[in-house]
Amino acid sequence: MARKKGNRYSGIGGQAVLEGVMMKNKERYAIAVRKPDGEIDVELENYQELVHGNKLKKLPLIRGVFNFLDSMILGTKALNHSASFYEEESNGKKSGQTSNGGSGEKLMNLLVALFSVALAVGIFIVLPYFISSFFERYIRNASLLAILEGCIRILIFLLYAWGISAMQDIRRLYQYHGAEHKCINCIEKGRPLTVHNVMRSSRLHRRCGTSFIFFVLLVSIILFFFIRVDNVVEKVVLRILLMPVVAGISYELIRLAGRSDNIIVKILSAPGMCIQRLTTREPDAQMVEVAIAAVEAVFDWKSYLRQNFGYEVDDSAEAGEPS
């Protein structure tokens, strides 16, 4: 059977966590963590969406808001799980042992996610407006002020991404972020999922959350450009109220970027891909092993390669021979 060329959308996505990777495929997700003793622990569960079975969640733009909240909640849960392996034993509970995901835990994850969103809105949406307002005495043109506000917003994000990379734990998190991307790229390029093939894959991916944030910043510049009110409170409130719209549009753009090789999509995705050079690092082989464990727990990559690229994975490929 002739092998097909080109990228194929896999549908899997993930997130780096403390000393590990979370991978999600449809409703199933797996969190693989390298424990302090060197072993890889894999937790496999179903994720129940915040709004399950609602037809509104399938509508363009609206679905982006729900998916964003779901990703925040699941991301918080995954980070908490990975951190538990490195906490000291307390109350007779050993490190790495997690709760059964009851309603209390779900509520706490939701509250943490909402707090994170509120903090992000304050830093990246409201703060740039107030900084740009200091230049009103020098710049009388409202359109130029709106553009300046957007540039400040992007600058704050770049400084934030670069600044936290100086922390050792964040550097390792960025490496696991790179391992996550490399695994997905390896599969979507049609290569067997081995350490060898993953290591030589790109650490940049167009469906990355970093690219999503860039789209949020870009879309916010365009939308906020048309806000024409004089009252300071109204300006701030309108920016906050428009954030679900910004998130919805950004989700559609990142969704399109992951499914299309159109030249316009590539151009729009290019800045986000560049920013990923700040938020990802090259992983080592042990980190890649953890990422592979997370993928294999939720995704049958051999079947995927057979269906989408038209070939069976032989023993030499599994052993890591170049393909």
PDB file of all heavy atoms in Angstrom, residues 192-209:
ATOM      1  N   PRO A 192       5.880   6.741  12.858  1.00  0.00           N
ATOM      2  CA  PRO A 192       5.627   5.923  14.048  1.00  0.00           C
ATOM      3  C   PRO A 192       6.046   6.656  15.314  1.00  0.00           C
ATOM      4  O   PRO A 192       7.054   7.378  15.321  1.00  0.00           O
ATOM      5  CB  PRO A 192       6.498   4.675  13.811  1.00  0.00           C
ATOM      6  CG  PRO A 192       6.643   4.607  12.324  1.00  0.00           C
ATOM      7  CD  PRO A 192       6.701   6.030  11.856  1.00  0.00           C
ATOM      8  N   LEU A 193       5.276   6.476  16.362  1.00  0.00           N
ATOM      9  CA  LEU A 193       5.508   7.207  17.605  1.00  0.00           C
ATOM     10  C   LEU A 193       6.609   6.534  18.417  1.00  0.00           C
ATOM     11  O   LEU A 193       6.346   5.711  19.304  1.00  0.00           O
ATOM     12  CB  LEU A 193       4.211   7.286  18.421  1.00  0.00           C
ATOM     13  CG  LEU A 193       4.224   8.249  19.605  1.00  0.00           C
ATOM     14  CD1 LEU A 193       4.408   9.687  19.149  1.00  0.00           C
ATOM     15  CD2 LEU A 193       2.935   8.117  20.411  1.00  0.00           C
ATOM     16  N   THR A 194       7.836   6.874  18.109  1.00  0.00           N
ATOM     17  CA  THR A 194       8.994   6.374  18.840  1.00  0.00           C
ATOM     18  C   THR A 194       9.811   7.554  19.336  1.00  0.00           C
ATOM     19  O   THR A 194       9.652   8.684  18.845  1.00  0.00           O
ATOM     20  CB  THR A 194       9.887   5.507  17.930  1.00  0.00           C
ATOM     21  OG1 THR A 194      10.432   6.342  16.890  1.00  0.00           O
ATOM     22  CG2 THR A 194       9.094   4.371  17.297  1.00  0.00           C
ATOM     23  N   VAL A 195      10.671   7.309  20.313  1.00  0.00           N
ATOM     24  CA  VAL A 195      11.506   8.383  20.850  1.00  0.00           C
ATOM     25  C   VAL A 195      12.340   9.009  19.742  1.00  0.00           C
ATOM     26  O   VAL A 195      12.466  10.235  19.649  1.00  0.00           O
ATOM     27  CB  VAL A 195      12.406   7.851  21.982  1.00  0.00           C
ATOM     28  CG1 VAL A 195      13.402   8.931  22.416  1.00  0.00           C
ATOM     29  CG2 VAL A 195      11.568   7.408  23.177  1.00  0.00           C
ATOM     30  N   HIS A 196      12.905   8.165  18.859  1.00  0.00           N
ATOM     31  CA  HIS A 196      13.733   8.665  17.766  1.00  0.00           C
ATOM     32  C   HIS A 196      12.947   9.610  16.863  1.00  0.00           C
ATOM     33  O   HIS A 196      13.404  10.718  16.551  1.00  0.00           O
ATOM     34  CB  HIS A 196      14.269   7.486  16.940  1.00  0.00           C
ATOM     35  CG  HIS A 196      14.963   7.902  15.673  1.00  0.00           C
ATOM     36  ND1 HIS A 196      16.276   8.291  15.645  1.00  0.00           N
ATOM     37  CD2 HIS A 196      14.497   8.014  14.399  1.00  0.00           C
ATOM     38  CE1 HIS A 196      16.612   8.623  14.400  1.00  0.00           C
ATOM     39  NE2 HIS A 196      15.552   8.458  13.628  1.00  0.00           N
ATOM     40  N   ASN A 197      11.764   9.194  16.433  1.00  0.00           N
ATOM     41  CA  ASN A 197      10.971  10.002  15.516  1.00  0.00           C
ATOM     42  C   ASN A 197      10.422  11.261  16.181  1.00  0.00           C
ATOM     43  O   ASN A 197      10.323  12.316  15.548  1.00  0.00           O
ATOM     44  CB  ASN A 197       9.810   9.179  14.952  1.00  0.00           C
ATOM     45  CG  ASN A 197      10.266   8.162  13.936  1.00  0.00           C
ATOM     46  OD1 ASN A 197      11.304   8.331  13.297  1.00  0.00           O
ATOM     47  ND2 ASN A 197       9.511   7.087  13.794  1.00  0.00           N
ATOM     48  N   VAL A 198      10.049  11.147  17.452  1.00  0.00           N
ATOM     49  CA  VAL A 198       9.534  12.311  18.167  1.00  0.00           C
ATOM     50  C   VAL A 198      10.628  13.363  18.348  1.00  0.00           C
ATOM     51  O   VAL A 198      10.399  14.560  18.141  1.00  0.00           O
ATOM     52  CB  VAL A 198       8.951  11.901  19.536  1.00  0.00           C
ATOM     53  CG1 VAL A 198       8.608  13.138  20.370  1.00  0.00           C
ATOM     54  CG2 VAL A 198       7.703  11.048  19.346  1.00  0.00           C
ATOM     55  N   MET A 199      11.828  12.926  18.706  1.00  0.00           N
ATOM     56  CA  MET A 199      12.924  13.860  18.945  1.00  0.00           C
ATOM     57  C   MET A 199      13.262  14.679  17.705  1.00  0.00           C
ATOM     58  O   MET A 199      13.696  15.828  17.810  1.00  0.00           O
ATOM     59  CB  MET A 199      14.160  13.114  19.436  1.00  0.00           C
ATOM     60  CG  MET A 199      14.045  12.569  20.852  1.00  0.00           C
ATOM     61  SD  MET A 199      13.969  13.856  22.130  1.00  0.00           S
ATOM     62  CE  MET A 199      15.663  14.437  22.161  1.00  0.00           C
ATOM     63  N   ARG A 200      13.063  14.121  16.517  1.00  0.00           N
ATOM     64  CA  ARG A 200      13.395  14.858  15.297  1.00  0.00           C
ATOM     65  C   ARG A 200      12.199  15.613  14.713  1.00  0.00           C
ATOM     66  O   ARG A 200      12.296  16.197  13.635  1.00  0.00           O
ATOM     67  CB  ARG A 200      13.989  13.899  14.240  1.00  0.00           C
ATOM     68  CG  ARG A 200      13.042  12.879  13.653  1.00  0.00           C
ATOM     69  CD  ARG A 200      13.823  11.867  12.835  1.00  0.00           C
ATOM     70  NE  ARG A 200      12.963  10.915  12.140  1.00  0.00           N
ATOM     71  CZ  ARG A 200      12.690  10.965  10.838  1.00  0.00           C
ATOM     72  NH1 ARG A 200      13.203  11.925  10.095  1.00  0.00           N
ATOM     73  NH2 ARG A 200      11.918  10.050  10.282  1.00  0.00           N
ATOM     74  N   SER A 201      11.078  15.599  15.423  1.00  0.00           N
ATOM     75  CA  SER A 201       9.907  16.366  14.995  1.00  0.00           C
ATOM     76  C   SER A 201       9.976  17.787  15.539  1.00  0.00           C
ATOM     77  O   SER A 201      10.731  18.078  16.471  1.00  0.00           O
ATOM     78  CB  SER A 201       8.620  15.682  15.473  1.00  0.00           C
ATOM     79  OG  SER A 201       8.487  14.392  14.907  1.00  0.00           O
ATOM     80  N   SER A 202       9.171  18.678  14.966  1.00  0.00           N
ATOM     81  CA  SER A 202       9.174  20.077  15.385  1.00  0.00           C
ATOM     82  C   SER A 202       8.511  20.249  16.748  1.00  0.00           C
ATOM     83  O   SER A 202       7.569  19.534  17.087  1.00  0.00           O
ATOM     84  CB  SER A 202       8.440  20.924  14.347  1.00  0.00           C
ATOM     85  OG  SER A 202       8.274  22.254  14.810  1.00  0.00           O
ATOM     86  N   ARG A 203       9.005  21.200  17.515  1.00  0.00           N
ATOM     87  CA  ARG A 203       8.393  21.494  18.814  1.00  0.00           C
ATOM     88  C   ARG A 203       7.330  22.583  18.694  1.00  0.00           C
ATOM     89  O   ARG A 203       6.735  22.996  19.692  1.00  0.00           O
ATOM     90  CB  ARG A 203       9.459  21.899  19.833  1.00  0.00           C
ATOM     91  CG  ARG A 203      10.024  23.301  19.673  1.00  0.00           C
ATOM     92  CD  ARG A 203      10.951  23.616  20.834  1.00  0.00           C
ATOM     93  NE  ARG A 203      11.226  25.031  20.988  1.00  0.00           N
ATOM     94  CZ  ARG A 203      12.282  25.655  20.498  1.00  0.00           C
ATOM     95  NH1 ARG A 203      13.181  24.963  19.798  1.00  0.00           N
ATOM     96  NH2 ARG A 203      12.457  26.944  20.715  1.00  0.00           N
ATOM     97  N   LEU A 204       7.064  23.062  17.482  1.00  0.00           N
ATOM     98  CA  LEU A 204       6.062  24.101  17.244  1.00  0.00           C
ATOM     99  C   LEU A 204       4.833  23.487  16.595  1.00  0.00           C
ATOM    100  O   LEU A 204       4.945  22.618  15.730  1.00  0.00           O
ATOM    101  CB  LEU A 204       6.630  25.198  16.336  1.00  0.00           C
ATOM    102  CG  LEU A 204       8.000  25.766  16.717  1.00  0.00           C
ATOM    103  CD1 LEU A 204       8.417  26.831  15.720  1.00  0.00           C
ATOM    104  CD2 LEU A 204       7.981  26.332  18.131  1.00  0.00           C
ATOM    105  N   HIS A 205       3.655  23.938  17.009  1.00  0.00           N
ATOM    106  CA  HIS A 205       2.412  23.399  16.446  1.00  0.00           C
ATOM    107  C   HIS A 205       1.375  24.509  16.362  1.00  0.00           C
ATOM    108  O   HIS A 205       1.215  25.309  17.289  1.00  0.00           O
ATOM    109  CB  HIS A 205       1.880  22.244  17.297  1.00  0.00           C
ATOM    110  CG  HIS A 205       0.876  21.404  16.594  1.00  0.00           C
ATOM    111  ND1 HIS A 205      -0.440  21.794  16.420  1.00  0.00           N
ATOM    112  CD2 HIS A 205       0.981  20.183  16.004  1.00  0.00           C
ATOM    113  CE1 HIS A 205      -1.089  20.853  15.762  1.00  0.00           C
ATOM    114  NE2 HIS A 205      -0.256  19.868  15.491  1.00  0.00           N
ATOM    115  N   ARG A 206       0.617  24.528  15.255  1.00  0.00           N
ATOM    116  CA  ARG A 206      -0.322  25.620  15.007  1.00  0.00           C
ATOM    117  C   ARG A 206      -1.541  25.594  15.924  1.00  0.00           C
ATOM    118  O   ARG A 206      -2.249  26.595  16.064  1.00  0.00           O
ATOM    119  CB  ARG A 206      -0.774  25.598  13.539  1.00  0.00           C
ATOM    120  CG  ARG A 206       0.196  26.318  12.622  1.00  0.00           C
ATOM    121  CD  ARG A 206      -0.328  26.416  11.220  1.00  0.00           C
ATOM    122  NE  ARG A 206      -0.202  25.165  10.502  1.00  0.00           N
ATOM    123  CZ  ARG A 206      -0.696  24.967   9.277  1.00  0.00           C
ATOM    124  NH1 ARG A 206      -1.376  25.920   8.676  1.00  0.00           N
ATOM    125  NH2 ARG A 206      -0.528  23.813   8.678  1.00  0.00           N
ATOM    126  N   ARG A 207      -1.845  24.444  16.548  1.00  0.00           N
ATOM    127  CA  ARG A 207      -2.998  24.380  17.447  1.00  0.00           C
ATOM    128  C   ARG A 207      -2.614  24.629  18.900  1.00  0.00           C
ATOM    129  O   ARG A 207      -3.384  24.333  19.812  1.00  0.00           O
ATOM    130  CB  ARG A 207      -3.690  23.015  17.314  1.00  0.00           C
ATOM    131  CG  ARG A 207      -4.516  22.857  16.056  1.00  0.00           C
ATOM    132  CD  ARG A 207      -5.376  21.597  16.087  1.00  0.00           C
ATOM    133  NE  ARG A 207      -4.606  20.392  15.903  1.00  0.00           N
ATOM    134  CZ  ARG A 207      -4.468  19.431  16.809  1.00  0.00           C
ATOM    135  NH1 ARG A 207      -5.042  19.569  17.992  1.00  0.00           N
ATOM    136  NH2 ARG A 207      -3.753  18.353  16.559  1.00  0.00           N
ATOM    137  N   CYS A 208      -1.454  25.197  19.123  1.00  0.00           N
ATOM    138  CA  CYS A 208      -0.959  25.399  20.488  1.00  0.00           C
ATOM    139  C   CYS A 208      -1.737  26.496  21.204  1.00  0.00           C
ATOM    140  O   CYS A 208      -2.235  27.444  20.592  1.00  0.00           O
ATOM    141  CB  CYS A 208       0.520  25.769  20.428  1.00  0.00           C
ATOM    142  SG  CYS A 208       1.221  26.250  22.017  1.00  0.00           S
ATOM    143  N   GLY A 209      -1.817  26.389  22.518  1.00  0.00           N
ATOM    144  CA  GLY A 209      -2.473  27.412  23.315  1.00  0.00           C
ATOM    145  C   GLY A 209      -1.779  28.764  23.222  1.00  0.00           C
ATOM    146  O   GLY A 209      -2.417  29.812  23.346  1.00  0.00           O
TER     147      GLY A 209
END
